[in-house]
Amino acid sequence: LESTIISHGMPYPQNVKTAREVEDVIRSHGVTPATIGILEGVVCIGMTPEELETFGRLGPKCHKVSRRDLAFVLAARANGATTVAGTMLLAHLAGIRVFVTGGIGGVHRGAEESWDVSADLTELGKTPVAVVCAGAKSILDIPKTLEYLETQGVPVVGFGTEYFPAFFTPSSGLKASCSVASSADAARLCSEHFRLGLSTGVVLANPIPADFAAEAEKVEAATLQAVQELSTKKLEGREVTPFLLARIEQLTKGESLKANIALVKNNARVGAEVAAELYRLERTGAVVVGGMAIDIISKPDDPGCLGATATSVIGVTRKTYGGVGRNISECMARLGARVQLISAVGGDSLGDELLEASSSIGIDVSGVTQVADARTGTFSGLLDGRGDLVGAVVDMGVYSAINDNAGSTLPPALRSSSLLILDANMDPSVISQALKQGEAAAVPSWFETVSVPKAQRSVGALQGIELVKPNLAELKAICEVVAGPQPPPGSKASPFDEARRYGGVTLEKLGVKRLLVSCGRHGAVLLAASSCPVSAQSRTVTLPLEGLPPLQLAVHQQSAHCVEYQLLAPVDSPVSTTGAGDCLMGGTAAAYLKGMPIETAVVYGMLCAHAALFADTAVSPMLSPAVLRVKPSPVAKFERRCAAGVAGFGGQRAAAGFRTQWP
């Protein structure tokens, strides 16, 4: 909200009363109002009741502040009331994308001689903020104003009307560039505008309610008279509009002021609805609660080496950034998802290094607690010559701080997120509390099991969770906890057979909605409870990734509750496998947040896991938002094999079944 309408738009005390009522209208829609102004050289994004009172009493004594005036008013430690242009600029700097005002400035009548064009129009041409207004003031040259906005590339959107309103009257008789029927439609338009990176603002032109509109002829007659009187006075620039509005109010005997108050409140209602819809539409971020650590990984030079027992082997040791929660967050951030990490590090140089590195790749680390007298978590792992983990020692005592602080840091983070991801590094009681907070915020929760012991101890907290991602060993351990020891599978059982068997029991006993089971070099299986069937038409695809061998994958729907993802060309000599599972989770989550169905999102999760196999870090630095735009293409050779028959993998299906349009 601007403050010029308080200081210069209405007399005191009507201005303060109206300002408070407008803020109340916005709050009634669950939206936070931020009246913007300058007090003693300090920009205020949101004002207290006392500050609103100060502005109201100062009135015209406040400087009117547009873009050009900001530096002067701040340097002079003066009071300033922001215009449409000034408020747009400051709102944009503060990350606020919806701005409500009465009406915008424009091209003044007689501008062909005076060159009097409002800075509001040029600001709309370069600042991406949605401006909800009742059009341009009727004292202006509206046809020229619309022409100017067109030249600046500013969408002029009629809200519930095809016509551009004229401040006091619902229609100027001139058409807007486009129109929307509802706040939801307006939010979608604004979202696309911002998503495209367009640098202009958006005018949402909302007509004054007809019940409050002054008679058009009366206002227009008063406007013409006021303009004629202006020609006899020596007023210029910012002095013109206040004179004209005050004179029009006199001539209409207060009808224009009543209309002004009504239209501002009406704009506040629409602006709040659009802001709420935009928030719901773009609530696409995730909050991850889990570990972050320094990974120290050693790998023998000999590809055939199985590790070292009571001796040493020659190899390479690398220090990288890790921790399951952090790895998932990094994968998502590299793919362009908005992600906040809630974790803990020590107050040492390693903690500083982790925070800086994580922040630099786009992870929001404001929820990470730095514990002064604790050591930053470390993972010291030994790989075999093929890159598979032999064993590790973990020092994660600092994670107790996550247990202590998650209860207070998680609820605010959930308000701007649409997915909660937890890893099993926390105490089960904290996991249970976090899941309840996610449920209260209507945010679905996913869970990464981390390891066999941590998966087993967390089972009691996972009832009803949206998705759990274990590997096959972790799934077997969970199944044993919830259903007891199971008969051993047959000698010819594939990893997919085992995943279906143990997963089916786990879904039933644990009450989770979905399981995403990593089957290592074989692929993955997505299992779903009866209440949420999955649908993925069988096909074979290849997904290229620049600089790496492509991912070749066969997707096969076994039933309405099971989709298998079989790797057709497993990587025989990976650099490391330690981050692949985390990237499967992170990539799937990022694709899911982009609106892909879970069955499709898993494919992109597998592509991220594939890339991790070729990196000496847990997450491949080659990942970028472009990865989620990679289009799968058919694998023709495998289609012919499938047509001929492939034992155990849907050989009865014709090759044509694998060429269905990708969703």
Side-chain angles (χ1 to χ4, degrees):
L1 300 168
E2 61 163 296
S3 48
T4 297
I5 197 169
I6 304 171
S7 60
H8 293 74
M10 300 177 190
Y12 179 83
Q14 184 67 62
N15 54 359
V16 176
K17 180 176 182 291
T18 300
R20 290 174 177 165
E21 290 173 350
V22 168
E23 289 196 347
D24 288 342
V25 168
I26 291 171
R27 290 190 184 97
S28 71
H29 287 78
V31 176
T32 303
T35 299
I36 294 177
I38 302 170
L39 277 174
E40 298 180 355
V42 177
V43 173
C44 301
I45 307 294
M47 292 192 189
T48 66
E50 293 76 20
E51 289 167 341
L52 286 176
E53 182 73 22
T54 297
F55 263 84
R57 288 183 178 276
L58 286 171
K61 294 179 182 177
C62 290
H63 292 272
K64 286 185 70 174
V65 180
S66 188
R67 173 184 281 262
R68 72 168 187 183
D69 311 298
L70 273 169
F72 166 74
V73 173
L74 296 183
R77 303 293 187 267
N79 298 314
T82 51
T83 64
V84 169
T87 308
M88 280 187 72
L89 173 60
L90 293 175
H92 177 58
L93 292 175
I96 301 172
R97 295 188 295 173
V98 180
F99 163 41
V100 167
T101 184
I104 59 171
V107 178
H108 279 258
R109 301 187 187 198
E112 62 273 15
E113 296 181 0
S114 67
W115 289 81
D116 192 350
V117 177
S118 172
D120 296 354
L121 301 186
T122 53
E123 199 65 44
L124 279 161
K126 57 190 172 189
T127 302
V129 172
V131 180
V132 182
C133 62
K137 300 177 180 71
S138 57
I139 58 177
L140 302 171
D141 189 325
I142 293 179
K144 288 187 175 66
T145 297
L146 291 175
E147 289 289 346
Y148 197 102
L149 288 170
E150 180 184 4
T151 301
Q152 293 288 307
V154 177
V156 177
V157 184
F159 187 84
T161 178
E162 295 182 358
Y163 292 92
F164 186 68
F167 198 64
F168 293 130
T169 56
S171 174
S172 65
L174 301 170
K175 283 196 171 185
S177 61
C178 61
S179 63
V180 293
S182 66
S183 299
D185 292 341
R188 281 192 289 272
L189 184 151
C190 292
S191 178
E192 289 300 316
H193 184 87
F194 299 140
R195 186 180 66 83
L196 289 168
L198 301 176
S199 59
T200 63
V202 177
V203 174
L204 292 176
N206 180 39
I208 185 174
D211 293 345
F212 292 95
E215 291 294 334
E217 295 83 359
K218 185 176 181 180
V219 174
E220 184 62 21
T223 300
L224 291 173
Q225 182 176 337
V227 169
Q228 289 174 352
E229 292 177 9
L230 176 66
S231 63
T232 65
K233 299 181 180 294
K234 297 180 179 179
L235 298 176
E236 296 180 344
R238 64 183 61 192
E239 299 172 324
V240 171
T241 299
F243 166 78
L244 291 175
L245 290 177
R247 184 60 181 141
I248 291 168
E249 182 191 349
Q250 291 175 351
L251 293 171
T252 60
K253 297 180 180 179
E255 288 297 316
S256 63
L257 179 58
K258 290 179 183 178
N260 195 2
I261 294 171
L263 72 83
V264 171
K265 290 181 179 179
N266 189 47
N267 291 346
R269 175 187 61 81
V270 170
E273 290 175 356
V274 171
E277 290 289 344
L278 190 61
Y279 168 75
R280 282 188 283 270
L281 189 64
E282 298 190 343
R283 191 185 181 190
T284 56
V287 55
V288 178
V289 185
M292 60 190 309
I294 295 291
D295 286 352
I296 302 169
I297 307 294
S298 299
K299 180 183 179 185
D301 288 341
D302 179 6
C305 180
L306 299 179
T309 302
T311 186
S312 61
V313 295
I314 297 174
V316 175
T317 297
R318 292 186 175 89
K319 182 187 77 171
T320 60
Y321 307 119
V324 173
R326 200 212 69 88
N327 291 345
I328 293 170
S329 300
E330 178 181 349
C331 180
M332 297 180 69
R334 288 191 181 278
L335 294 172
R338 181 172 55 81
V339 58
Q340 179 176 355
L341 176 62
I342 295 177
S343 188
V345 297
D348 49 20
S349 60
L350 291 179
D352 294 337
E353 185 179 348
L354 259 180
L355 288 172
E356 182 177 353
S358 300
S359 180
S360 69
I361 56 176
I363 301 172
D364 179 353
V365 295
S366 61
V368 177
T369 302
Q370 193 161 22
V371 185
D373 56 351
R375 296 185 304 274
T376 294
T378 55
F379 173 94
S380 301
L382 174 63
L383 310 181
D384 63 19
R386 290 168 53 88
D388 290 325
L389 183 66
V390 174
V393 175
V394 296
D395 177 5
M396 304 297 181
V398 71
Y399 289 172
S400 62
I402 307 178
N403 301 337
D404 297 337
N405 298 321
S408 59
T409 54
L410 184 55
L414 287 171
R415 286 197 289 269
S416 59
S417 300
S418 55
L419 185 63
L420 169 63
I421 301 176
L422 306 163
D423 77 28
N425 281 302
M426 295 169 294
D427 185 86
S429 64
V430 177
I431 294 172
S432 181
Q433 180 189 17
L435 292 175
K436 290 178 180 177
Q437 290 174 330
E439 183 179 3
V443 176
S445 300
W446 292 10
F447 187 75
E448 168 61 58
T449 51
V450 179
S451 67
V452 168
K454 292 177 180 178
Q456 288 178 313
R457 78 177 188 183
S458 304
V459 166
L462 302 182
Q463 288 287 337
I465 197 170
E466 182 80 18
L467 181 144
V468 177
K469 194 207 82 55
N471 62 27
L472 198 51
E474 293 156 359
L475 175 62
K476 292 177 183 178
I478 293 172
C479 184
E480 185 170 331
V481 172
V482 299
Q486 299 295 302
S491 60
K492 295 184 179 180
S494 72
F496 297 120
D497 296 331
E498 293 187 66
R500 288 196 302 273
R501 177 178 178 180
Y502 293 112
V505 175
T506 301
L507 284 170
E508 179 183 354
K509 298 293 185 180
L510 191 56
V512 301
K513 295 181 180 178
R514 294 185 179 92
L515 290 170
L516 175 56
V517 186
S518 171
C519 298
R521 58 188 280 105
H522 301 280
V525 179
L526 178 65
L527 299 159
S530 58
S531 61
C532 48
V534 290
S535 176
Q537 293 175 326
S538 299
R539 74 207 71 187
T540 58
V541 293
T542 180
L543 289 94
L545 198 59
E546 187 175 355
L548 297 179
L551 172 68
Q552 293 186 322
L553 196 65
V555 181
H556 173 53
Q557 179 146 5
Q558 281 279 3
S559 70
H561 306 286
C562 176
V563 181
E564 294 176 353
Y565 303 83
Q566 184 187 27
L567 292 171
L568 303 182
V571 179
D572 290 325
S573 300
V575 175
S576 173
T577 62
T578 56
D582 300 340
C583 288
L584 173 59
M585 178 68 124
T588 301
Y592 181 75
L593 290 175
K594 287 290 185 182
M596 298 184 196
I598 186 68
E599 303 89 339
T600 305
V602 171
V603 173
Y604 289 90
M606 295 195 70
L607 182 58
C608 295
H610 177 73
L613 300 177
F614 298 91
D616 55 14
T617 54
V619 180
S620 172
M622 297 181 67
L623 297 184
S624 73
V627 170
L628 298 183
R629 297 193 290 271
V630 171
K631 293 185 177 180
S633 56
V635 182
K637 182 178 180 180
F638 191 75
E639 285 179 358
R640 289 194 293 272
R641 289 175 59 201
C642 285
V646 180
F649 200 80
Q652 74 279 11
R653 286 168 172 77
F658 292 90
R659 287 197 287 264
T660 307
Q661 178 68 38
W662 194 261

